[in-house]
Amino acid sequence: MNLYGRQNELAGLDTLIAAAADGRGQSLVLRGEAGIGKSSLLAYAEDEARRRGFTVLRAVGWEAERGLTFAALHQLLRPVVDHAGKLPQPQADALRAAVGTGAAAEHGRFLVGLAVLSLLAEAAEDAPVLCLVDDAHWIDEPSADALLFAARRLGVERVALLFAARGDTGFPAAGLPQSTLSRLGRDDALALLAGLDVPAAVRDRVLRESLGNPLALREFGASGPAAAGRPQAAGQPLPAADRVLAAYRGRVLELPERTRLMLLIAAADSRSTLRYLVAAAEKLGVGLADLAAAEQRGLVAVVGESVEFRHPLIRTAAYTAAPLARRVAVHEALATTSGDPDCRARHLASAATGPDEEVAAELADAAKRALTRGGPAAAADTYAEAARLTPDAAPRVRRLTAAAWAAQQAGHAERAAELAEEAYKQTEDADRRAELAYVRSFWLFEKDAAQEAGALLVSHASDSRAYGREMLRAAATYAWFGGDVAGLHRAADLLEGYGDAPGAAARRADRAVRGLAHMAADDFARGLPLVADLLDDAAVGSSTRLQAISSGSLLPDDVQLPVITEEIDIARGDGIIGRLPYLLHVLARQQLYAGDHREAARTVAEAAAIARDTGLAMRIGRLHNLLARIPAIEGDEERVRTLVTPGMNAGGNYGITAWALLDLGLGRYEDVLTRLAEARAGAARYSAALLFATSDEVEAAVRLGAPERALLPARRFAAWAAASGQPWARAVALRNEALLASSAGDAAAAYAEAVRLHAASVGRPFERARTELLAGEHLRRERRRAEARTHLRSALRLFDALAAGPWSDRARAELRAAGEAQATARATAPDPADRLTPQELQVVRLAAEGTSSRDIAARLFLSPRTVEYHLYKAYPKLGVTSRRELPAALGAVEERRGPAASARPRT
């Protein structure tokens, strides 16, 4: 078949296939209206790939069965699923459960995506692999999640994934290359018609009615002008695809009745597997031979063990052309022969003409299975459909509630809230309404309505037997991020009213709420130990511990780091991918404040990639806000502007404080105070970012000659620093005290003690440099130039190591003013690690620890082949030739990079 007007697309497909054959994994999404030529381009790619020795895997979406969990994945991977035995055990188990060849087990919803990547990489060891997914907008969401996860992480695998989808909706594929097919121009359309021998008398009408749609041109040109249909009364023709569908429907209706019935049976089952179709056909009095007329007219083909429709619109036409009663009968027959309980439930639901408890119960069971197989989105839809078919109110509400929880688990907070609201309106049961309020609160918090979310939970918590305490703890967290002191105390009071919780961990969790209330009231001495106690004691991987991490950013670094590192190890080892963006965010924050900017950037890059792959768009904004601190320190205003995303609850404060730090470095002191004052008046006033920015506020106020504008923040920081016991924090509090001191002697004493505390501790090098700089400036003004130069040299060395341009310039100027004529930057030899990409450095570190390529791949969500490629690229950059040399080479690098590197946690 000639593909007119598609030269660019064909060249792109040739490039994609050649790249995959050469070990450069590729993916592409073809988009366009029905009939525009997507399926033809997929057929071209298949022919070219087979000619080059590829293994070709195919799947086709079908609207009626989008709710079948991993149905598309089962179609696609069936020929290569035997390779699952070579995968790490968690991945193998998740994949086998997904495609129905192993026992169902709870696992992270994106572990299947990692398993798909590993499986395709294994299959590609034998021959390059091309995956073709047609009508991708109709495949089930768990399959789409898994395939997109794999597609975004292709590296040096000999794998290509090619998707075809209609329009811009129904198949979110952010981050993948996209190609939107346009309609054909007149010359290409005429060239297409020339091959069909269309009479000149009707050619212009066919051109006009087809609107440049290739399928419409072929069908109208082959069938004559009558196939083009008539314009609507308003004078506007129907979309070309709709008229092609009408033409196909007409061709189906011309077939013998037995053929139409056999076509309907094939169209009603997405698998179109012969043994199931024939079994259902026998029940309805037809057989495979009845497809002959449809085959002769080019509508379908029997290929191997399945029936394939020549175009998805033919399938739709075959289904919609049948009367409702016949469709019901076909689904009833398929339900009895499907051989799969999920397919049976789907067919029974399609056959139902009204509420039916037996069918609803089977759908609910299918939803449970979807959850255990890692398909919460499909489970949500299936539970919702079960509720629609449930005649009695109580079980209907129960199933809607289950649908809401499943949607929340899938990360669809808005959909979960909608389902919860629907159920809420249908019940008067206070306990059930409380549970539904809990689900709705997640979406309220997600859209920055933290106080509203907390108030909703507090108002319903006393009615919930199962979730009361948990709701109040969540309400306290929302109140903390929403700046609601009264809400925090209310949640704490209600928890105490319950009495002692069962179990030590639960009791600590309740006390931590009171700890947050104390901290919000600036009583850090009482509050911090209660929150720290929870963080230290909660079970690894528990929701309680994760909640403690979220509110524990004001805890000492040495308390947070071991916990977050352990949680990251657990999430990597168990393949709990969806949890990692948040955990890596916390780690990056610690790395950033520790002065390890390169590591922080690497961690943010990994977290953002996983957040993108798992649909956590809000997390990406928060990560970029955090990362903006690096260009703020460096004085790069354009980069700060690029990274900062406003709003986002407490996450937005990291962007605000980055701007304030940039302003301070550039001498825009009034801007510093304005930004921070506005942030302190906002909802997220208790965030760590604002507390840590206190020293910026103090310095700006003093330089403006208005120290009174920073007195209250300075007192709050001093109270926290004293309670935290961290030397760096007490040093910064003393630095603030020195800036605000009324006498030179008091200032000198405070600076001296601050410098001593910094020197006795590891970490926070930027804060130490600022303390040394201010101490040196003070001593120079007091004409103690020799002492001043000692501090200023130390500050310059630290600022230069952090690439803090404006701050280095200031330290250099102070040194010159203190009598040091040659105040230049410290010369440094190139760091070998700086030549590595972030992922190369990550791979090299794990390899140096003795981790195998297969295990590195599992931890970093890559394929072993990609791991080996990164090692191959890293060896010459480090001056080594094998894994055995890596520990010594990296040890030398870490030694050169100083305390921040030596204190780095294992990730």
Side-chain angles (χ1 to χ4, degrees):
M1 179 186 295
N2 290 325
L3 295 175
Y4 298 97
R6 300 297 183 219
Q7 289 76 16
N8 290 339
E9 288 79 5
L10 294 174
L13 292 179
D14 288 341
T15 300
L16 177 140
I17 292 167
D22 194 36
R24 289 175 287 120
Q26 301 279 308
S27 60
L28 177 65
V29 181
L30 298 173
R31 293 197 182 274
E33 64 187 20
I36 201 67
K38 304 184 297 294
S39 297
S40 297
L41 288 169
L42 261 60
Y44 170 85
E46 180 174 3
D47 290 344
E48 284 299 300
R50 290 194 188 280
R51 186 178 62 80
R52 299 186 62 150
F54 275 63
T55 297
V56 178
L57 308 176
R58 289 187 60 92
V60 181
W62 172 227
E63 185 177 15
E65 296 194 350
R66 290 184 69 183
L68 279 177
T69 310
F70 292 118
L73 211 60
H74 186 269
Q75 278 189 65
L76 187 76
L77 300 181
R78 190 165 39 196
V80 295
V81 77
D82 289 347
H83 288 279
K86 302 174 185 176
L87 272 54
Q89 199 61 48
Q91 295 180 37
D93 291 344
L95 185 67
R96 289 183 177 125
V99 300
T101 61
E106 294 283 354
H107 54 74
R109 56 186 275 244
F110 292 100
L111 183 58
V112 178
L114 177 58
V116 170
L117 174 66
S118 300
L119 181 76
L120 294 177
E122 288 290 348
E125 291 297 319
D126 299 331
V129 175
L130 173 65
C131 299
L132 301 173
V133 183
D134 205 352
D135 278 343
H137 51 283
W138 280 340
I139 68 174
D140 60 281
E141 187 168 335
S143 291
D145 284 343
L147 290 170
L148 289 171
F149 185 91
R152 293 184 183 112
R153 305 187 82 79
L154 289 175
V156 294
E157 294 77 26
R158 298 195 301 165
V159 175
L161 276 77
L162 183 58
F163 304 92
R166 287 190 198 167
D168 297 325
T169 59
F171 184 66
L176 295 190
Q178 315 261 332
S179 177
T180 300
L181 306 185
S182 60
R183 293 172 176 172
L184 299 185
R186 181 177 177 82
D187 290 345
D188 288 318
L190 283 170
L192 189 156
L193 290 179
L196 299 176
D197 196 23
V198 178
V202 299
R203 188 178 300 150
D204 284 344
R205 181 180 174 188
V206 170
L207 283 173
R208 185 173 62 253
E209 296 290 337
S210 300
L211 301 175
N213 182 290
L215 182 63
L217 283 161
R218 293 184 189 282
E219 294 303 322
F220 299 167
S223 305
R230 296 181 180 276
Q232 292 178 302
Q236 294 297 323
L238 290 168
D242 288 352
R243 284 176 289 131
V244 172
L245 178 60
Y248 280 145
R249 198 176 289 126
R251 291 171 63 180
V252 169
L253 291 172
E254 292 171 358
L255 294 168
E257 183 177 353
R258 293 174 62 85
T259 302
R260 295 202 304 272
L261 178 55
M262 195 63 210
L263 268 183
L264 175 60
I265 295 169
D269 192 285
S270 67
R271 296 169 301 172
S272 296
T273 305
L274 284 181
R275 70 176 185 274
Y276 299 129
L277 301 185
V278 170
E282 288 177 354
K283 287 183 171 292
L284 297 169
V286 291
L288 192 59
D290 291 306
L291 276 179
E295 284 192 279
Q296 290 166 6
R297 299 192 188 191
L299 298 175
V300 296
V302 178
V303 180
E305 297 182 354
S306 64
V307 177
E308 294 184 0
F309 286 83
R310 185 166 63 82
H311 192 278
L313 287 177
I314 301 174
R315 178 181 213 153
T316 302
Y319 189 80
T320 58
L324 176 61
R326 177 160 284 192
R327 293 203 299 264
V328 168
V330 164
H331 283 296
E332 287 175 342
L334 285 166
T336 63
T337 63
S338 67
D340 179 272
D342 293 344
C343 288
R344 170 183 164 81
R346 281 280 149 205
H347 285 301
L348 287 175
S350 297
T353 56
D356 186 318
E357 175 56 32
E358 290 186 10
V359 176
E362 291 211 32
L363 278 174
D365 288 341
K368 291 177 187 175
R369 288 190 291 271
L371 276 178
T372 59
R373 292 165 64 193
D381 291 341
T382 306
Y383 271 128
E385 189 171 0
R388 180 182 61 82
L389 292 174
T390 302
D392 297 330
R396 183 169 61 250
V397 169
R398 185 173 67 248
R399 286 162 183 161
L400 278 172
T401 304
W405 278 117
Q408 179 62 34
Q409 187 177 336
H412 300 168
E414 184 173 14
R415 169 70 170 148
E418 290 170 353
L419 289 164
E421 183 70 22
E422 182 182 351
Y424 191 93
K425 293 175 180 177
Q426 297 184 37
T427 182
E428 297 297 326
D429 181 86
D431 186 32
R432 179 68 68 187
R433 281 189 156 198
E435 180 179 1
L436 293 164
Y438 193 13
V439 178
R440 287 160 58 204
S441 74
F442 300 132
W443 171 238
L444 289 172
F445 182 70
E446 188 76 14
K447 64 177 188 175
D448 277 356
Q451 289 195 25
E452 186 180 347
L456 179 68
L457 292 180
V458 167
S459 67
H460 283 82
S462 61
D463 294 325
S464 176
R465 292 186 295 272
Y467 297 102
R469 287 182 183 275
E470 192 175 319
M471 291 168 68
L472 289 172
R473 293 172 194 145
T477 302
Y478 295 160
W480 173 264
F481 286 115
D484 183 4
V485 181
L488 261 171
H489 282 284
R490 176 69 174 149
D493 291 343
L494 289 171
L495 275 172
E496 289 173 359
Y498 273 102
D500 281 346
R507 288 192 290 275
R508 285 185 172 89
D510 288 353
R511 288 198 295 271
V513 170
R514 180 61 72 187
L516 285 177
H518 288 319
M519 288 165 63
D522 297 346
D523 188 350
F524 297 103
R526 283 201 292 173
L528 274 175
L530 295 176
V531 179
D533 191 32
L534 173 62
L535 189 62
D536 186 57
D537 182 74
V540 174
S542 67
S543 59
T544 301
R545 199 184 206 203
L546 294 174
Q547 186 176 342
I549 290 171
S550 72
S551 56
S553 53
L554 297 181
L555 297 177
D557 295 345
D558 58 355
V559 172
Q560 292 184 69
L561 268 177
V563 173
I564 195 63
T565 302
E566 186 176 31
E567 289 294 333
I568 290 171
D569 279 344
I570 294 294
R572 290 194 191 281
D574 293 347
I576 308 173
I577 300 168
R579 190 179 291 172
L580 273 169
Y582 171 69
L583 296 174
L584 291 170
H585 185 161
V586 178
L587 175 64
R589 184 179 66 206
Q590 294 303 114
Q591 292 168 330
L592 196 57
Y593 284 119
D596 206 344
H597 291 180
R598 179 185 175 84
E599 286 300 304
R602 177 195 64 75
T603 302
V604 165
E606 183 187 6
I610 297 173
R612 179 201 63 205
D613 292 350
T614 53
L616 300 174
M618 292 283 285
R619 178 60 55 188
I620 297 173
R622 293 187 175 102
L623 285 161
H624 287 168
N625 279 342
L626 178 69
L627 194 62
R629 182 175 174 85
I630 296 176
I633 288 173
E634 295 172 351
D636 186 344
E637 185 164 359
E638 185 56 38
R639 180 70 173 147
V640 172
R641 182 175 290 107
T642 300
L643 286 171
V644 169
T645 304
M648 312 181 76
N649 287 321
N653 280 346
Y654 283 96
I656 293 170
T657 55
W659 272 116
L661 181 57
L662 176 77
D663 291 334
L664 183 66
L666 298 179
R668 301 188 298 229
Y669 304 123
E670 186 60 49
D671 289 346
V672 176
L673 296 180
T674 300
R675 287 187 199 278
L676 296 180
E678 289 176 354
R680 290 188 194 285
R685 62 181 66 95
Y686 305 122
S687 72
L690 281 181
L691 186 73
F692 295 162
T694 299
S695 59
D696 305 339
E697 205 164 2
V698 170
E699 185 171 347
V702 169
R703 291 189 181 280
L704 281 173
E708 69 281 357
R709 295 172 66 177
L711 289 176
L712 288 178
R715 288 172 191 153
R716 185 167 189 266
F717 184 90
W720 170 76
S724 76
Q726 298 182 87
W728 77 266
R730 290 188 286 130
V732 171
L734 284 165
R735 183 174 84 211
N736 294 337
E737 182 182 318
L739 281 167
L740 296 168
S742 57
S743 72
D746 290 343
Y751 278 131
E753 179 61 12
V755 169
R756 187 192 68 77
L757 286 170
H758 277 306
S761 64
V762 174
R764 308 275 174 156
F766 184 65
E767 297 302 337
R768 176 178 180 177
R770 288 178 62 180
T771 299
E772 299 259 26
L773 173 62
L774 287 167
E777 288 177 345
H778 176 78
L779 290 169
R780 182 187 64 77
R781 288 194 299 270
E782 294 298 305
R783 303 182 183 278
R784 296 161 63 181
R785 292 187 172 187
E787 295 174 75
R789 288 194 293 271
T790 299
H791 292 298
L792 293 171
R793 289 189 202 107
S794 176
L796 179 59
R797 176 176 52 81
L798 290 167
F799 285 140
D800 281 345
L802 294 168
W807 300 87
S808 290
D809 292 345
R810 187 169 137 193
R812 199 170 286 111
E814 283 293 329
L815 267 172
R816 286 194 294 268
E820 188 157 310
Q822 300 298 320
T824 58
R826 179 172 64 98
T828 58
D831 187 339
D834 289 339
R835 294 194 290 267
L836 300 179
T837 68
Q839 199 154 71
E840 285 170 358
L841 185 58
Q842 201 173 17
V843 167
V844 162
R845 283 213 180 101
L846 290 168
E849 295 174 4
T851 311
S852 70
S853 292
R854 179 181 172 185
D855 289 341
I856 294 172
R859 286 176 59 82
L860 302 184
F861 315 125
L862 305 169
S863 73
R865 187 183 179 97
T866 297
V867 168
E868 291 294 336
Y869 174 78
H870 285 313
L871 287 172
Y872 167 77
K873 298 288 285 184
Y875 285 167
K877 296 178 182 180
L878 291 173
V880 302
T881 58
S882 70
R883 283 178 180 247
R884 291 192 303 274
E885 300 172 67
L886 285 177
L890 277 184
V893 167
E894 305 292 12
E895 185 176 347
R896 288 167 55 86
R897 299 181 77 183
S902 63
R904 180 182 298 115
R906 176 177 175 269
T907 64

